[in-house]
Amino acid sequence: MTLPGQPQLHLRDQSLYLEDVPLAPLAREHGTPLFVYSEGAMLAALASYQRGFEGRDALICYAMKANANLAILKLFVNAGCGLDIVSGGELERALAAGAPPERIIFSGVGKTRAEMTRALEIGIGCFNVESEAELDVLSTVATGLGRTASVSIRVNPDVDAQTHPYISTGLKGNKFGIAHDRALDVYRHAASLPGLKVVGIDCHIGSQITQLSPYLDAMDRVLDLVNAIEDAGIPLHHIDFGGGLGIDYKGDTPPEAATLWQQLFAKLDARGYGDRRIVIEPGRSLVGNAGVCLTEVLYLKPGEAKNFAIVDAAMNDLPRPAMYEAFHQIVPLEARDGRTAATYDVVGPVCESGDWLGRDRLLDVEPGDVLAVLSAGAYCMSMASNYNSRPRAAEILVSGNAARVVRRRETIEDQLRAEQDLSQA
Ligand code: LLP
C-alpha cells in the first residue's frame, strides 16, 4: 500500500501507526471522527525550510489558517517561527500560543479598524496591506493611537500558479494584492502617509503549488518592483514570498522546501538580493501531510450505479472534497484479506449530495471498521463547521509513542451556549 507523502505513517503487522502510536486503539478510546497529527512530521517539514534558509536572514511565519490548534502553534513558535494571521481571532490565538508580537504578520484583504487597533496596541511586526483604501484607514487608525504601523504591500505578480482556480491568487482577475503596474504609485502613496512606515513587499500566488517555475517567475516580477521602489527612494527591509508550496495528496511531486529555497536563493543571489531579509508564510506544507482523520464505517449501501460506504465523518469535518473536489487517500486502519473488496463512494451523514470524502475507492471494509483519511493536517479541522449541528471532532497530537488530546470533542452544550431561545426574554 502506498501512503502518499506521510513518512510518519506506516503499517506494522497489518495495523496503521502514526509515529509509534497504533491508530485503532486511539479511535476506540477517543471516538471518531478523530484528527491525529504527528509532531515529528511537522518538525521534519519545518526542518526542510530551515535547511533551505541556512546562513540566510529569514523568518518563517507559519500561516495558521492551515491548522490553528494551540498546541501546533506552540510547536512552531517554540521552534522559532513567527505566525501569519488573517483575523482578530487568529491574532488572539497567536498571542495565546506565546508568539512574540514582532514575529506576527497580518495578511488579508479586509482588516477591520478594531483588528488594526488591537494589532497596533500589541505591536505586531507587519501589516500586509492589499489596497489603497486599507492603507488610508490603517494610517488614520495608527495616527489616532499615536503609533506607526509597519507595512508591506501585497503585489499581484500576475503569474499562473498552475493550481486549482479557487486557490490561485496571483492572477489579475483575483481579489488579492495590488496590480504590478500600479505598485510603484501605491508605494509612493504609502510612504507619504503619516501613520505608516514602509518596511517590505509581499506576494502570495496561490496554494498547493507543485511546480518550481511559478515561484521563480513571481520572484523575478517582485524583484523588478523592489528595484523600482528602491530607486524611487523607498527602502524595503524585507521581501515576503508568501506560502503556497504543495504537498503529496495523490502521488503529487512538489519540490522539497529545501530544494525550492536553494533554487530561489540562487536567483536572489544572481540578482543581488541574497542578503535581504526573506519572510515566508507556509501553511499546508508544514502540517498537511502530518495529519489523518479517523472515521468509522457506519453502513455499506450497495446500489445499481454505485456502492456507498457511509462513514461518521462528513463535509463539515473534511470540507475539501466538497469545496474543491480535492482528493484525499482513504485507507483502512487494519487490513482485511481483500476477498470482499468493492468500489465505493465514501460519503458522510450530512444531507447534501456534495457530502463525499472519496469517490470510486477500492476498499475491503465492513461496518465498524475504521478508515484513515490521509493528508488531513491542513485546511480540514481549520475549515470544519457545525453544519447539521454536528460537533467538531477531537484532535490528538502524537510524538514518539505518546498521544495527547490537544482539543476535546465538542459537545452539544458548546454549540448551544451562544444561543437564546427567547422563552426567558
Ligand atoms: N499567505 C497568504 C496570504 C495566504 O492567503 C495563504 C493561504 C498562505 C500564506 C498559506 O498558503 P499555503 O502555504 O497553505 O498554501 N483552503 C484551501 C487553501 C486556501 C489557501 C488560502 N491562503 C485548501 O484547502 O486547499
Side-chain angles (χ1 to χ4, degrees):
M1 182 177 23
T2 55
L3 301 172
Q6 303 220 201
Q8 267 72 12
L9 192 65
H10 47 265
L11 271 177
R12 261 186 223 167
D13 305 328
Q14 300 298 307
S15 293
L16 208 56
Y17 280 63
L18 192 61
E19 300 200 18
D20 295 323
V21 175
L23 292 174
L26 270 191
R28 276 196 296 275
E29 185 182 348
H30 299 281
T32 49
L34 182 71
F35 284 91
V36 191
Y37 309 118
S38 154
E39 187 174 299
M42 294 183 195
L43 292 176
L46 177 64
S48 183
Y49 279 101
Q50 288 167 331
R51 277 198 305 282
F53 282 158
E54 225 163 67
R56 307 285 183 163
D57 180 8
L59 178 64
I60 300 166
C61 290
Y62 167 56
M64 62 186 279
K65 64 169 82 68
N67 188 326
N69 182 287
L70 213 50
I72 292 174
L73 299 183
K74 278 200 171 159
L75 188 72
F76 288 122
V77 167
N78 291 341
C81 294
L83 295 174
D84 172 54
I85 64 164
V86 290
S87 72
E90 287 195 347
L91 177 56
E92 298 308 327
R93 271 182 187 274
L95 295 175
E102 67 278 7
R103 287 203 208 137
I104 297 175
I105 56 178
F106 199 157
S107 298
V109 294
K111 303 169 196 77
T112 65
R113 285 173 167 79
E115 288 171 330
M116 291 172 177
T117 301
R118 175 81 172 131
L120 283 164
E121 279 169 355
I122 60 142
I124 66 158
C126 188
F127 290 85
N128 288 359
V129 176
E130 302 226 12
S131 66
E132 289 172 273
E134 189 190 352
L135 281 176
D136 293 334
V137 170
L138 183 57
S139 176
T140 307
V141 173
T143 314
L145 292 170
R147 302 198 179 220
T148 307
S150 296
V151 297
S152 159
I153 291 172
R154 176 167 174 183
V155 297
N156 189 335
D158 195 25
V159 299
D160 184 355
Q162 295 161 31
T163 182
H164 191 289
Y166 280 17
I167 50 177
S168 177
T169 52
L171 279 166
K172 268 185 188 157
N174 293 124
K175 72 177 175 183
F176 298 103
I178 300 273
H180 196 269
D181 49 9
R182 298 226 46 249
L184 185 53
D185 283 346
V186 176
Y187 264 95
R188 286 203 177 98
H189 179 59
S192 75
L193 291 172
L196 307 186
K197 177 172 195 282
V198 173
V199 295
I201 186 166
D202 64 284
C203 76
H204 171 78
I205 56 174
S207 201
Q208 186 51 21
I209 301 169
T210 54
Q211 313 283 318
L212 202 60
S213 58
Y215 275 107
L216 290 166
D217 294 347
M219 182 172 272
D220 265 326
R221 303 270 294 165
V222 170
L223 293 181
D224 292 346
L225 278 177
V226 174
N227 211 340
I229 293 161
E230 296 198 324
D231 277 354
I234 304 168
L236 298 175
H237 172 253
H238 74 254
I239 311 177
D240 173 347
F241 287 102
L245 181 58
I247 61 169
D248 179 8
Y249 285 105
K250 193 192 184 179
D252 307 290
T253 52
E256 251 205 66
T259 315
L260 170 71
W261 276 97
Q262 275 145 20
Q263 304 250 10
L264 290 173
F265 273 117
K267 183 177 278 297
L268 282 165
D269 287 339
R271 294 198 52 175
Y273 293 101
D275 295 337
R276 195 63 61 102
R277 162 154 265 223
I278 300 300
V279 177
I280 56 164
E281 307 160 3
R284 186 192 319 265
S285 52
L286 290 177
V287 293
N289 276 334
V292 297
C293 179
L294 308 185
T295 180
E296 183 180 326
V297 178
L298 299 174
Y299 305 105
L300 298 180
K301 183 172 173 182
E304 261 177 43
K306 287 258 178 195
N307 300 316
F308 294 100
I310 301 167
V311 300
D312 66 357
M315 63 189 289
N316 73 300
D317 306 295
L318 294 158
R320 303 191 67 257
M323 285 182 77
Y324 321 112
E325 303 203 325
F327 180 95
H328 287 263
Q329 183 88 276
I330 301 175
V331 298
L333 292 196
E334 297 186 309
R336 292 180 178 275
D337 60 15
R339 275 185 293 186
T340 52
T343 301
Y344 294 99
D345 276 13
V346 180
V347 300
V350 162
C351 302
E352 300 252 2
S353 298
D355 180 27
W356 57 278
L357 306 182
R359 286 186 170 142
D360 300 322
R361 304 301 176 86
L362 184 66
L363 292 166
D364 184 9
V365 284
E366 298 285 339
D369 286 2
V370 179
L371 303 175
V373 179
L374 307 192
S375 307
Y379 302 113
C380 292
M381 189 60 185
S382 63
M383 297 205 299
S385 77
N386 290 125
Y387 188 37
N388 281 203
S389 290
R390 290 167 52 85
R392 275 175 294 175
E395 296 178 290
I396 306 267
L397 187 61
V398 155
S399 176
N401 61 10
R404 285 165 300 170
V405 177
V406 290
R407 180 184 168 114
R408 67 161 170 78
R409 188 173 303 285
E410 224 167 24
T411 63
I412 189 62
E413 288 74 28
D414 293 330
Q415 287 190 57
L416 291 179
R417 188 169 299 133
E419 297 174 35
Q420 184 57 266
D421 70 6
L422 298 185
S423 62
Q424 317 293 328

